[in-house]
Amino acid sequence: MAITKNSEETKRKIISAANALFAEKGFEAVSLREITALAGANVAAVNYHFGNKEQLIDEVIVQHVLPVIEERMRLLKDSKKSSNGKPISIESILNAFIRPFLTVMNNSGQSKALFCKLSGRCMSDRGGDLPARAVKEFVAMLKEFTHTLQETIPQLPAKVLLWRLHFSFGVVAHTLMYEERFHEITNGGCGTPNLETTLQRMIDFCQGGLLAQDSPVDKMKGEVDA
Amino acid sequence: MAITKNSEETKRKIISAANALFAEKGFEAVSLREITALAGANVAAVNYHFGNKEQLIDEVIVQHVLPVIEERMRLLKDSKKSSNGKPISIESILNAFIRPFLTVMNNSGQSKALFCKLSGRCMSDRGGDLPARAVKEFVAMLKEFTHTLQETIPQLPAKVLLWRLHFSFGVVAHTLMYEERFHEITNGGCGTPNLETTLQRMIDFCQGGLLAQDSPVDKMKGEVDA
DNA sequence: GCTGCTGTAAAACATTTGTTTTAAATAAGT
DNA sequence: ACTTATTTAAAACAAATGTTTTACAGCAGC
């Protein structure tokens, strides 16, 4: 009944070490030897348990990203349930979109700073490519949020809405990744807000952005868009 | 009078090759041999002309980032001049902030896609660190824009404004870097807008975000901010 | 024509990388 | 207790990396 030896335990230690190192230095910049050293395992363990480095990276990303996606879907579904068929507020939608980072982070056992950095890296490094396993869920989530937003802001053209959701992604990704950097460059002028405050500020900003007036672009300049 | 041999020419070819490769694959992921091969030069040429890889990266970043910063300052100054001491519109400020990417890009001779990717990498790779030479100018620009925005939106607390400028940065960086990715993931649903359209959409979004109502955060939850 | 300087080219350098191989140790099955 | 499968450990592998060394070519000035 008991699991053979430390197999699962070793895998967990490797993933945990990889988590921390990938977050800090990026996926490509970390060597397998650094990971296994931190995990207290042998170099060959990575290839034995995960196949190769690429598959280890995929595993880390999937384990990191899926819970956030699932929590997003859960929050959105809950909001829908309690609104009795009426369109949900933008704030609720944005909350369901952004808050999961905080929720999952607090349940992850990882340091908050590392969790945030890893989140950013999942969106940034490797050209933002997600492992095949996670793409399906990610696309489904994007569709669900797009559709829900559409119902709340029906006057906004679908394409513009898609772009603004994309922009909102940028806000979150950039904020998660460069909090430290931001702190340095403003010489501390940005303060030291807790995450709840930062979350609310992102929601405020994105809400304003989503609701902004949609400037017509001069057609003479060549709008290729439909 | 003539410069000895092809010294400057070789440097230019290396920088040009590095530009393209760094944009496509990231700074760390490109080897010196790839660069010199594309440039038609010898491996040792990089160390001879630039010292080492790190200094080459710095040179590429500086040459890429400084023109954008300068153009931003120029546009902002022009706007101020033509407003006769009155606060400038947010749209003008955002235009001065974002449009320089397009202007410099069109004068760069590089492919648009590569220029955008390199811009994103300058903000993303290496933890967003800028070379020492560029930090001063960047900070000065940030201060100038913050100050100008402050005059236009005096009712917004300084810290909140700083954060919203940070968010705007995220919008631009993310959009520049992941246009392709966005196209794939929406299955083309985002359309194929030209850059002028995308620019206007970013301005609209950020303007909405900057003007958004500033939600008070529940102090009981522990606002560390001042 | 020699000397010195600048730029180029090829080769060699020591490290580090991901991965495989080989062998030993441990647990489970019968 | 013997066998088998699973997991770990150490060593070896080939390939690639940034950098340095060495040698050679072109051009200047005295």
Side-chain angles (χ1 to χ4, degrees):
Chain A
M1 194 55 41
I3 293 145
T4 63
K5 224 175 181 185
N6 296 325
S7 176
E8 295 303 316
E9 177 65 14
T10 303
K11 285 182 78 170
R12 214 177 326 131
K13 284 197 297 184
I14 290 177
I15 291 244
S16 173
N19 257 283
L21 291 169
F22 286 159
E24 200 59 62
K25 310 175 59 175
F27 298 113
E28 301 300 333
V30 176
S31 73
L32 293 185
R33 282 169 177 81
E34 289 182 75
I35 296 173
T36 50
L38 181 61
N42 189 278
V43 209
V46 169
N47 295 281
Y48 177 80
H49 287 287
F50 299 92
N52 54 31
K53 188 185 180 183
E54 189 62 24
Q55 289 175 268
L56 170 62
I57 294 177
D58 280 5
E59 186 62 31
V60 167
I61 295 180
V62 167
Q63 286 195 20
H64 185 85
V65 160
L66 282 192
V68 175
I69 295 180
E70 284 166 15
E71 179 69 4
R72 277 175 173 157
M73 296 296 260
R74 202 183 64 77
L75 283 190
L76 192 64
K77 192 172 289 181
D78 283 4
S79 281
K80 282 190 172 173
K81 225 171 242 169
S82 49
S83 79
N84 301 323
K86 290 183 182 176
I88 324 175
S89 72
I90 294 190
E91 175 154 14
S92 294
I93 300 176
L94 283 171
N95 185 69
F97 190 66
I98 307 179
R99 179 173 296 279
F101 280 111
L102 271 72
T103 312
V104 175
M105 181 176 72
N106 287 329
N107 293 343
S108 71
Q110 288 180 66
S111 102
K112 293 181 183 183
L114 285 186
F115 185 95
C116 287
K117 282 184 190 172
L118 190 57
S119 294
R121 296 215 178 270
C122 290
M123 306 192 223
S124 300
D125 289 6
R126 309 160 21 111
D129 283 347
L130 286 176
R133 264 179 295 164
V135 169
K136 212 186 86 185
E137 315 241 5
F138 182 82
V139 170
M141 179 214 65
L142 191 62
K143 270 196 184 140
E144 184 63 25
F145 272 84
T146 307
H147 183 252
T148 308
L149 265 175
Q150 196 73 262
E151 292 175 343
T152 301
I153 331 178
Q155 70 277 16
L156 201 64
K159 276 175 190 167
V160 177
L161 188 138
L162 220 45
W163 276 92
R164 291 185 176 180
L165 198 56
H166 187 50
F167 296 154
S168 302
F169 236 104
V171 170
V172 179
H174 199 255
T175 305
L176 285 178
M177 273 213 85
Y178 301 119
E179 171 140 10
E180 286 181 17
R181 190 93 202 96
F182 181 43
H183 216 270
E184 289 171 23
I185 226 149
T186 59
N187 219 356
C190 62
T192 316
N194 59 27
L195 286 171
E196 196 65 37
T197 304
T198 303
L199 171 74
Q200 189 59 52
R201 283 181 182 159
M202 288 194 279
I203 290 179
D204 287 347
F205 184 88
C206 292
Q207 177 165 10
L210 283 168
L211 286 175
Q213 171 224 26
D214 176 32
S215 297
V217 176
D218 183 359
K219 300 293 178 189
M220 295 308 294
K221 285 190 175 170
E223 162 63 286
V224 183
D225 217 2
Chain B
M1 193 58 38
I3 293 146
T4 61
K5 236 177 174 181
N6 296 324
S7 176
E8 295 303 315
E9 177 64 16
T10 303
K11 284 182 80 170
R12 213 177 326 132
K13 284 198 296 185
I14 290 177
I15 291 243
S16 173
N19 257 283
L21 291 170
F22 286 159
E24 200 60 61
K25 309 173 62 174
F27 298 112
E28 302 300 334
V30 176
S31 73
L32 293 185
R33 282 169 177 82
E34 290 181 76
I35 296 173
T36 50
L38 181 59
N42 189 276
V43 209
V46 169
N47 295 280
Y48 178 79
H49 287 287
F50 299 93
N52 55 31
K53 186 184 181 182
E54 190 63 23
Q55 290 175 267
L56 171 62
I57 295 176
D58 280 5
E59 186 63 31
V60 166
I61 295 180
V62 167
Q63 286 195 19
H64 186 85
V65 160
L66 283 192
V68 175
I69 295 180
E70 284 166 15
E71 178 70 4
R72 276 174 174 158
M73 296 296 259
R74 203 183 65 77
L75 283 190
L76 192 63
K77 193 173 289 182
D78 283 3
S79 281
K80 280 190 173 175
K81 225 172 245 171
S82 50
S83 79
N84 301 323
K86 289 183 180 175
I88 324 177
S89 72
I90 295 189
E91 175 155 12
S92 294
I93 300 176
L94 283 171
N95 186 68
F97 190 66
I98 308 179
R99 180 173 296 279
F101 280 111
L102 272 70
T103 312
V104 175
M105 181 176 70
N106 287 329
N107 294 341
S108 71
Q110 287 180 65
S111 101
K112 294 182 181 182
L114 286 186
F115 185 95
C116 287
K117 282 185 189 170
L118 189 57
S119 294
R121 295 215 179 271
C122 289
M123 306 192 223
S124 300
D125 290 4
R126 310 161 19 113
D129 283 347
L130 287 177
R133 265 179 295 165
V135 169
K136 212 185 85 186
E137 316 241 5
F138 182 82
V139 170
M141 178 215 64
L142 190 63
K143 269 196 184 138
E144 183 63 25
F145 273 84
T146 308
H147 183 251
T148 308
L149 264 175
Q150 196 73 262
E151 291 175 345
T152 302
I153 332 178
Q155 70 276 15
L156 202 64
K159 276 174 189 166
V160 177
L161 188 137
L162 220 44
W163 275 93
R164 290 185 178 182
L165 198 54
H166 186 51
F167 296 154
S168 302
F169 236 104
V171 170
V172 179
H174 199 255
T175 305
L176 284 179
M177 273 214 86
Y178 301 120
E179 170 140 11
E180 286 182 17
R181 189 94 203 98
F182 181 44
H183 215 270
E184 289 172 22
I185 227 148
T186 59
N187 220 356
C190 61
T192 316
N194 58 29
L195 287 171
E196 195 66 37
T197 305
T198 303
L199 171 74
Q200 188 60 50
R201 282 180 183 160
M202 286 194 281
I203 290 179
D204 287 348
F205 185 87
C206 292
Q207 177 165 8
L210 284 168
L211 286 175
Q213 172 224 26
D214 177 32
S215 296
V217 177
D218 184 359
K219 299 293 176 188
M220 296 307 293
K221 284 190 174 169
E223 163 65 286
V224 183
D225 217 1

